[in-house]
Amino acid sequence: PEETDMDFALSFEQQALVDALEEFCRRELYPHEALVEELRYVPEEIQTEIRRKSQEAGFEGMSLPEEWGGPGLDKQTKMQAERVMGKPSTALGQCMNRGVTGILFKCRDEQIEEYLLPSIRGERKNAFALTEPGAGSDARGITTRAVRDGGGWVINGVKQFISGADTADFIILIAVTGTDETPKGPRKRFTAFLVDKATPGVRVEPMKSIVTRGYNPTMVYFDNARIPDSKILGEEGHGFDTANEWLYDGRVALAAHCVGRAERIFDMAKEWAGSRKAFGRTIGDFQGVGFKIANMAVDIKLGDLMVKEAAWKMDNDLMNRTEASMVNYYCSEMVFRVADNALQVFGGMGVMEDFPIQRFWRDARIERIWEGTSEIHQDVIAKDLLREYKQ
């Protein structure tokens, strides 16, 4: 389509889905947030109840493509659904089985029965393990190795900040499987593996984080863990291509989450500014607070438009690395500005544990770090924009 065909308007059906999802979150997820914050996990009975109610409401598998039994939503609808899912606690949102990690569609042969289908049905959960103590932003610096041994592989190494590995049944692991000679010199070969958590030599340890409580980061240790050849996901040596294919999707989804989270924070800030009294009038009447409310509104509006444009570009195969980094960078910075301004509007009450604002403020801080730090995204954007001037 020509650029002039750009249209972000949701149809009646799309809007109905988004509204129903938002109502569901408000009714079934928000009431449990304080408890999860306190416990740092979601109790089994709450998980089961959310899963059952989400199935009954028709949200089961809503992000799946048609060939795997889903509705095959376009990116515009999917990202609007992601915007809504940015509002509740991440841990509670994870209890809804809306789809599977994109990389799992690379499953072949018996992997489909063993990993993909049970994940689609919500019977098995996974965690994606890429980051390491010595390789965060520099993913190519990873050192976890899988060494060929007979008809299989022996894995040794450590992964860090792996979200959800504490509750996962298997791990999607990116490991080094050798070296390739390239015109630019030797480069590591990366391969994706499916590793059952029950495999001898695999150990998961919790890390105690101040953000996204209940959706917890972990350390994952591999000590001579043996797996057969049949556990390679995709092709040997193509681990990064496999992961990169869904990275754009992940970046735009993160941005959409940030917009939804910012909207929820903004609603609280508006209500407080419009009803809290000081010096005989509401605090929103003072410019110092009123201007913050105005800036938050503009910030959120811009983020929302960037997400909608990015989704449109994905639907029309026009998405590229620069655009994905731009929307991720802007929206992750934006949600923290909104959260920080909201906390200021709430004043001393903003940092009280009885008020949710401090949680939103803490949780917003991680958005500028995971899915690529703000600095990495700025670097990518600058390099892409200046590449044509390189001699």
Side-chain angles (χ1 to χ4, degrees):
E2 297 296 315
E3 288 289 325
T4 50
D5 292 341
M6 200 179 282
D7 180 6
F8 309 146
L10 294 183
S11 68
F12 177 79
E13 289 80 6
Q14 289 170 316
Q15 193 61 55
L17 170 69
V18 171
D19 291 347
L21 193 57
E22 186 145 11
E23 179 51 38
F24 181 86
C25 290
R26 196 175 290 120
R27 199 178 60 243
E28 305 297 344
L29 305 191
Y30 292 6
H32 301 302
E33 288 178 334
L35 179 67
V36 172
E37 189 66 16
E38 203 180 317
L39 296 176
R40 294 177 179 259
Y41 67 90
V42 183
E44 193 78 38
E45 63 275 16
I46 293 176
Q47 283 186 46
T48 310
E49 182 193 7
I50 290 172
R51 176 75 199 286
R52 180 179 58 77
K53 287 182 171 171
S54 138
Q55 271 176 316
E56 286 166 9
F59 300 129
E60 182 87 0
M62 62 179 277
S63 303
L64 291 170
E66 281 182 69
E67 62 265 35
W68 295 105
L73 299 178
D74 62 336
K75 294 294 184 196
Q76 196 62 259
T77 317
K78 182 173 183 249
M79 292 310 168
Q80 284 309 303
E82 291 300 333
R83 175 181 65 80
V84 170
M85 291 312 298
K87 298 188 180 196
S89 134
T90 308
L92 289 162
Q94 292 282 325
C95 299
M96 296 168 68
N97 183 40
R98 296 183 299 122
V100 298
T101 315
I103 196 171
L104 276 180
F105 294 117
K106 292 275 181 195
C107 281
R108 296 284 172 270
D109 310 322
E110 66 269 26
Q111 292 175 350
I112 293 171
E113 289 295 329
E114 198 177 340
Y115 297 98
L116 178 58
L117 292 176
S119 299
I120 286 173
R121 293 192 295 263
E123 295 159 6
R124 301 196 80 189
K125 287 183 180 169
N126 69 77
F128 180 66
L130 173 65
T131 304
E132 296 184 4
S137 297
D138 176 16
R140 291 195 176 274
I142 72 173
T143 58
T144 294
R145 302 194 82 81
V147 178
R148 165 78 68 196
D149 184 49
W153 301 83
V154 177
I155 303 167
N156 283 288
V158 183
K159 296 291 182 179
Q160 180 175 267
F161 301 133
I162 308 307
S163 301
D166 49 347
T167 57
D169 301 289
F170 66 96
I171 291 159
I172 299 166
L173 170 75
I174 304 288
V176 180
T177 51
T179 313
D180 285 329
E181 290 305 325
T182 74
K184 292 180 179 174
R187 296 288 290 269
K188 292 174 183 173
R189 289 171 70 83
F190 296 98
T191 303
F193 292 95
L194 296 161
V195 184
D196 291 308
K197 208 165 82 177
T199 305
V202 177
R203 188 171 97 254
V204 175
E205 298 283 342
M207 299 174 80
K208 211 168 186 184
S209 160
I210 63 162
V211 299
T212 62
R213 288 180 181 170
Y215 181 57
N216 303 315
T218 63
M219 303 286 297
V220 185
Y221 298 91
F222 298 89
D223 182 15
N224 288 325
R226 288 181 171 274
I227 55 168
D229 239 358
S230 58
K231 300 293 181 190
I232 290 178
L233 181 59
E235 287 176 55
E236 195 268 318
H238 289 273
F240 262 149
D241 316 344
T242 303
N244 275 331
E245 279 176 32
W246 53 278
L247 278 181
Y248 291 170
D249 199 295
R251 283 176 186 165
V252 179
L254 174 131
H257 270 236
C258 290
V259 171
R261 186 66 54 93
E263 285 173 344
R264 187 169 170 203
I265 297 167
F266 182 52
D267 285 343
M268 292 177 190
K270 271 191 304 188
E271 188 184 348
W272 189 262
S275 55
R276 170 86 170 158
K277 290 263 183 21
F279 308 101
R281 49 189 173 146
T282 59
I283 60 171
D285 286 341
F286 293 96
Q287 271 192 2
V289 174
F291 282 12
K292 281 185 173 56
I293 297 294
N295 290 340
M296 289 154 119
V298 174
D299 244 353
I300 293 168
K301 174 95 173 167
L302 287 171
D304 186 42
L305 287 170
M306 283 185 83
V307 168
K308 284 172 174 163
E309 189 211 34
W312 181 87
K313 287 194 162 169
M314 286 168 84
D315 275 329
N316 291 281
D317 288 331
L318 296 170
M319 196 54 169
N320 61 36
R321 184 175 91 147
T322 325
E323 297 271 347
S325 275
M326 280 181 175
V327 65
N328 184 323
Y329 169 56
Y330 179 80
C331 292
S332 58
E333 291 280 337
M334 176 275 289
V335 71
F336 189 74
R337 276 197 300 276
V338 168
D340 203 49
N341 277 327
L343 194 142
Q344 194 71 15
V345 169
F346 271 82
M349 295 311 289
V351 292
M352 293 298 109
E353 288 202 5
D354 291 345
F355 273 63
I357 284 296
Q358 49 79 28
R359 167 167 69 84
F360 285 114
W361 181 71
R362 282 186 285 111
D363 285 356
R365 190 59 187 84
I366 192 64
E367 305 294 354
R368 291 152 64 191
I369 296 171
W370 59 11
E371 286 284 345
T373 63
S374 289
E375 292 73 19
I376 289 288
H377 289 303
Q378 286 170 288
D379 203 44
V380 164
I381 295 162
K383 279 187 173 137
D384 288 352
L385 294 176
L386 297 173
R387 187 170 290 116
E388 61 179 294
Y389 300 102
K390 277 239 162 82
Q391 293 305 314

